Amino acid sequence: MAEKNFEELYNESLNTKRFDKTVTGTVIQISSKGEIFVDFKYQVDGIIPKREYSDDENANPKSEFKPGDEITADVLKWNDGFGNVLLSYKKYKKRADYENQKELRKK
């Protein structure tokens, strides 16, 4: 199997994640401000600002996640103006909870 060159890997990363609404990645770090940095195998990391973690202002992401944990979130913006991918855990969680409730009602 031939190794892929940088250009092929770069183009592949652009094509595979660009239009996904929901991404899953690994928590890299949680800042003192409560921002969660996520590696989801894209050319830049994703950031979940504290306001996009929970509706509860007192919620602490460090109580639920630590570096190395897997996290799923919805993409809000592919470029937040600073070159970062802006993610929302609370929007993903609300949608997932709604879908779970819908499934339970069918049974």
Side-chain angles (χ1 to χ4, degrees):
M1 183 171 135
E3 287 188 39
K4 293 182 179 181
N5 67 31
F6 178 77
E7 184 179 2
E8 290 172 324
L9 290 171
Y10 178 76
N11 288 333
E12 189 176 284
S13 76
L14 288 174
N15 293 333
T16 56
K17 300 290 183 190
R18 186 73 180 157
F19 299 107
D20 289 350
K21 180 180 178 181
T22 302
V23 295
T24 299
T26 304
V27 174
I28 301 168
Q29 174 187 358
I30 302 173
S31 75
S32 59
K33 295 179 184 178
E35 298 170 316
I36 304 171
F37 294 85
V38 181
D39 174 12
F40 62 99
K41 307 296 184 216
Y42 191 59
Q43 66 260 36
V44 295
D45 296 331
I47 299 176
I48 302 172
K50 179 149 176 148
R51 70 181 182 279
E52 291 298 332
Y53 168 68
S54 174
D55 285 328
D56 179 2
E57 292 178 11
N58 297 317
N60 183 356
K62 288 183 178 181
S63 64
E64 186 175 356
F65 295 104
K66 65 185 182 313
D69 286 351
E70 187 176 87
I71 188 169
T72 302
D74 283 349
V75 175
L76 296 179
K77 289 184 181 178
W78 284 101
N79 185 341
D80 67 355
F82 297 102
N84 302 306
V85 177
L86 187 62
L87 304 172
S88 176
Y89 178 71
K90 73 178 180 182
K91 287 187 181 188
Y92 162 76
K93 194 78 172 141
K94 284 179 185 179
R95 188 172 41 79
D97 289 347
Y98 174 77
E99 289 171 6
N100 287 339
Q101 289 296 323
K102 211 162 88 170
E103 282 297 312
L104 289 173
R105 286 185 206 131
K106 287 182 181 179
K107 293 179 181 182

